Amino acid sequence: MRPPRRHPLFAPALLCAVAVLAARPATAEGDGAEPGVSARVARLYEDAAVATRQYEAGRKDAEEQRGRAERAEQLLTRERREIAVLHEDLGRIARAQYRQGGDLPYTAQILLAKDPDDLMRGQRAVWRADLAVGNSVAKSRRAEQRLAADELKARDAWQALETRTAALAEMKRTIQAKLEGARAVLESQADASVAAGACRGAVRLDQPPVDPARAWVTPVETYALSAGFGSGGDRWAHRHTGQDFAVPIGTPVRAAGAGRVVKVSCGGAFGIEVVIEHPGGYYTQYAHLAAVTVDQGQRVAAGEWIAQSGTTGNSTGPHLHFEVRVTPEMGSAVDPVPWLADHGVVV
């Protein structure tokens, strides 16, 4: 499975991205379709991807902030120990001053002094003690102020991070809920088309930028591999004839390579399907779709969106069934994974 791409964005960037995506005009649907459902799924799919990347970036920030908070707590603990030491020093100085007569009035010290030198030595000791007390008190107050500021800074940082993470999580949940609802409508329309055996026509979506330097690509960008070529099971009459890519309903499906659409059909075991003829005598098939974005006879580029994934036909869950064939019809499939690898695409 190829991990999704992640890019650290900030919350304002996410809000702008979602606003721009939501503001785009609805794209026309094929005949008989509910206006905008495929386009809405495509937009929400993009919004969900952006929100997920932003949420993951926020989660990473939280981990980094946790490390900073732990280091700050260590600093605060050290500052508290230093303040405790300062308080001990103040007590020690006060006790020493008391023992040296620092509590007696100056007149009493004169009367009790044995000679002027003793008196001066005593006074110098008292002055030094007073100076030490003053310095210690000032140092203790500065340390307490610094501790209070550091504690406030750490608390504010945590509160801001928690608020941001909660907002991102809520945004992600909201977009995901809307996406699930739109996907359900899209799949219900697809099921109706398959049941009627009549495709409702190509939908028109905003195409992503296509890299002309890439001759071949995976049929979906982010996926988990499920049933592979040659697998056995009750779902197939003999052996599995393609590679399944587990993806949610509405995921954009890409043309694996440049070519011409030779088949768009609905009904049967493959549900809604598209077959593309490529130079060199090979064909690729994309099945169990929810919608198609191309017409039969249309030429497509590698990476161009040709459909949206679904779970129509003989399918137990949302996925894309992908085949590589030597003819446009079933029964001529070759293992698509090594075939793609031979063409520079690793899945």
Side-chain angles (χ1 to χ4, degrees), residues 189-225:
Q189 291 184 354
D191 289 339
S193 296
V194 171
C199 295
R200 56 189 176 90
V203 299
R204 304 303 177 193
L205 302 178
D206 294 336
Q207 288 288 336
V210 174
D211 184 358
R214 300 180 67 186
W216 298 93
V217 297
T218 54
V220 284
E221 186 172 7
T222 302
Y223 54 84
L225 294 178

XYZ file of all heavy atoms in Angstrom, residues 189-225:
268
model
N -27.590 5.944 -7.446
C -27.811 6.238 -8.856
C -27.103 5.204 -9.736
O -27.643 4.751 -10.750
C -27.304 7.638 -9.199
C -28.130 8.755 -8.580
C -27.665 10.119 -9.022
O -26.649 10.241 -9.714
N -28.376 11.154 -8.638
N -25.883 4.832 -9.332
C -25.144 3.837 -10.101
C -25.865 2.494 -10.091
O -25.976 1.818 -11.128
C -23.731 3.688 -9.533
N -26.371 2.087 -8.927
C -27.109 0.830 -8.837
C -28.348 0.852 -9.729
O -28.692 -0.162 -10.364
C -27.517 0.561 -7.389
C -26.330 0.196 -6.499
O -25.297 -0.243 -7.051
O -26.434 0.356 -5.274
N -29.026 2.008 -9.787
C -30.211 2.127 -10.642
C -29.829 1.968 -12.115
O -30.547 1.340 -12.894
C -30.893 3.469 -10.395
N -28.693 2.542 -12.507
C -28.245 2.415 -13.895
C -27.930 0.966 -14.240
O -28.283 0.475 -15.314
C -27.001 3.282 -14.127
O -27.298 4.652 -13.969
N -27.252 0.276 -13.313
C -26.902 -1.118 -13.552
C -28.161 -1.970 -13.641
O -28.280 -2.854 -14.508
C -25.961 -1.635 -12.446
C -25.762 -3.143 -12.560
C -24.612 -0.920 -12.530
N -29.118 -1.715 -12.749
C -30.356 -2.485 -12.761
C -31.111 -2.292 -14.076
O -31.718 -3.222 -14.607
C -31.229 -2.084 -11.576
N -31.066 -1.064 -14.605
C -31.746 -0.768 -15.868
C -30.927 -1.208 -17.072
O -31.445 -1.286 -18.185
C -32.042 0.730 -15.960
N -29.627 -1.476 -16.845
C -28.746 -1.848 -17.946
C -28.480 -0.712 -18.903
O -28.122 -0.931 -20.063
N -28.641 0.513 -18.439
C -28.448 1.698 -19.292
C -27.612 2.730 -18.545
O -28.007 3.179 -17.463
C -29.791 2.305 -19.683
N -26.466 3.085 -19.100
C -25.618 4.101 -18.465
C -26.267 5.482 -18.588
O -26.910 5.790 -19.590
C -24.240 4.123 -19.123
S -23.309 2.591 -18.888
N -26.087 6.300 -17.594
C -26.730 7.607 -17.583
C -25.876 8.690 -18.218
O -26.188 9.864 -18.124
C -27.092 8.003 -16.150
C -25.933 8.016 -15.169
C -26.437 8.201 -13.740
N -25.377 8.117 -12.756
C -24.670 9.146 -12.335
N -24.890 10.344 -12.826
N -23.723 8.985 -11.431
N -24.804 8.325 -18.856
C -23.989 9.320 -19.548
C -22.815 9.782 -18.715
O -22.775 9.629 -17.497
N -21.830 10.363 -19.398
C -20.606 10.802 -18.721
C -20.862 12.071 -17.926
O -21.595 12.961 -18.356
C -19.503 11.040 -19.746
N -20.274 12.124 -16.765
C -20.309 13.342 -15.962
C -19.064 14.159 -16.304
O -18.062 13.616 -16.784
C -20.338 13.020 -14.454
C -21.579 12.226 -14.114
C -19.091 12.268 -14.022
N -19.135 15.451 -16.096
C -18.011 16.332 -16.426
C -17.447 16.922 -15.141
O -18.132 17.670 -14.447
C -18.460 17.453 -17.376
C -19.105 16.952 -18.656
C -18.182 16.010 -19.421
N -18.816 15.467 -20.621
C -18.344 14.453 -21.332
N -17.225 13.856 -20.969
N -18.989 14.019 -22.397
N -16.207 16.546 -14.847
C -15.538 17.017 -13.645
C -14.314 17.849 -14.009
O -13.745 17.687 -15.091
C -15.092 15.833 -12.777
C -16.187 14.860 -12.324
C -15.552 13.726 -11.514
C -17.234 15.574 -11.494
N -13.911 18.719 -13.098
C -12.664 19.461 -13.277
C -11.506 18.469 -13.246
O -11.315 17.758 -12.249
C -12.481 20.498 -12.171
C -13.534 21.603 -12.248
O -14.081 21.812 -13.348
O -13.793 22.230 -11.211
N -10.749 18.415 -14.323
C -9.647 17.459 -14.416
C -8.420 17.959 -13.637
O -8.148 19.155 -13.608
C -9.262 17.215 -15.874
C -10.265 16.393 -16.645
C -10.254 14.921 -16.213
O -9.268 14.407 -15.685
N -11.378 14.247 -16.433
N -7.687 17.041 -13.011
C -6.448 17.439 -12.322
C -5.352 17.705 -13.339
O -5.449 17.277 -14.497
C -6.119 16.213 -11.472
C -6.647 15.079 -12.292
C -7.912 15.590 -12.938
N -4.296 18.399 -12.950
C -3.159 18.577 -13.868
C -2.557 17.219 -14.228
O -2.396 16.350 -13.360
C -2.165 19.419 -13.051
C -2.982 20.047 -11.970
C -4.086 19.093 -11.675
N -2.248 17.023 -15.487
C -1.664 15.765 -15.958
C -0.203 15.997 -16.306
O 0.132 16.959 -16.997
C -2.437 15.228 -17.185
C -1.736 13.997 -17.751
C -3.875 14.890 -16.804
N 0.659 15.131 -15.784
C 2.090 15.242 -16.049
C 2.401 14.544 -17.374
O 2.333 13.308 -17.458
C 2.879 14.601 -14.911
C 4.381 14.767 -15.069
O 4.813 15.354 -16.083
O 5.116 14.298 -14.172
N 2.739 15.283 -18.427
C 2.999 14.646 -19.725
C 4.236 13.757 -19.717
O 4.409 12.925 -20.612
C 3.183 15.843 -20.663
C 3.590 16.981 -19.782
C 2.891 16.750 -18.477
N 5.098 13.923 -18.718
C 6.312 13.112 -18.655
C 6.030 11.699 -18.141
O 6.880 10.820 -18.267
C 7.347 13.788 -17.752
N 4.855 11.469 -17.557
C 4.522 10.149 -17.015
C 3.664 9.407 -18.031
O 2.505 9.743 -18.265
C 3.779 10.286 -15.687
C 4.589 11.004 -14.615
C 3.814 11.103 -13.330
N 3.601 9.784 -12.733
C 2.848 9.575 -11.651
N 2.214 10.598 -11.082
N 2.703 8.361 -11.160
N 4.220 8.363 -18.617
C 3.496 7.595 -19.635
C 2.488 6.641 -19.007
O 1.463 6.324 -19.622
C 4.481 6.820 -20.503
N 2.775 6.176 -17.768
C 1.898 5.229 -17.090
C 1.787 5.599 -15.617
O 2.761 6.087 -15.011
C 2.425 3.803 -17.227
C 2.482 3.335 -18.649
C 3.540 3.413 -19.502
C 1.403 2.768 -19.395
N 3.205 2.928 -20.736
C 1.884 2.508 -20.698
C 0.078 2.424 -19.109
C 1.103 1.943 -21.694
C -0.696 1.849 -20.098
C -0.197 1.619 -21.367
N 0.605 5.370 -15.030
C 0.363 5.671 -13.616
C -0.505 4.564 -13.031
O -1.069 3.741 -13.759
C -0.358 7.031 -13.437
C 0.493 8.176 -13.947
C -1.732 7.014 -14.116
N -0.614 4.536 -11.708
C -1.564 3.620 -11.075
C -2.975 4.115 -11.355
O -3.199 5.330 -11.490
C -1.345 3.564 -9.560
O -1.391 4.886 -9.031
C -0.007 2.927 -9.221
N -3.965 3.231 -11.414
C -5.321 3.672 -11.744
C -5.993 4.509 -10.658
O -6.956 5.222 -10.937
C -6.074 2.362 -11.985
C -5.295 1.329 -11.249
C -3.868 1.761 -11.320
N -5.527 4.409 -9.433
C -5.959 5.299 -8.352
C -4.705 5.764 -7.625
O -3.690 5.071 -7.602
C -6.940 4.610 -7.372
C -8.324 4.490 -7.981
C -6.424 3.253 -6.924
N -4.790 6.937 -7.023
C -3.582 7.529 -6.443
C -3.267 6.954 -5.067
O -2.118 6.648 -4.754
C -3.745 9.048 -6.354
C -2.490 9.758 -5.905
C -2.599 11.262 -6.012
O -3.704 11.756 -6.311
O -1.583 11.953 -5.801
N -4.281 6.832 -4.202
C -4.087 6.328 -2.840
C -4.995 5.125 -2.647
O -6.193 5.208 -2.929
C -4.431 7.414 -1.805
O -3.601 8.555 -2.043
C -4.181 6.911 -0.391
N -4.468 4.022 -2.142
C -5.242 2.789 -2.149
C -4.646 1.777 -1.181
O -3.558 1.955 -0.638
C -5.238 2.172 -3.556
C -3.831 1.974 -4.090
C -3.086 0.836 -3.768
C -3.222 2.946 -4.871
C -1.789 0.678 -4.217
C -1.926 2.792 -5.335
C -1.214 1.655 -5.005
O 0.075 1.508 -5.452
N -5.392 0.668 -1.011
C -4.877 -0.546 -0.378
C -5.146 -1.681 -1.348
O -6.237 -1.783 -1.915
C -5.573 -0.799 0.958
N -4.155 -2.512 -1.569
C -4.347 -3.658 -2.462
C -5.219 -4.709 -1.768
O -5.024 -5.004 -0.590
C -3.007 -4.268 -2.841
C -2.072 -3.401 -3.698
C -0.758 -4.131 -3.951
C -2.733 -3.014 -5.016
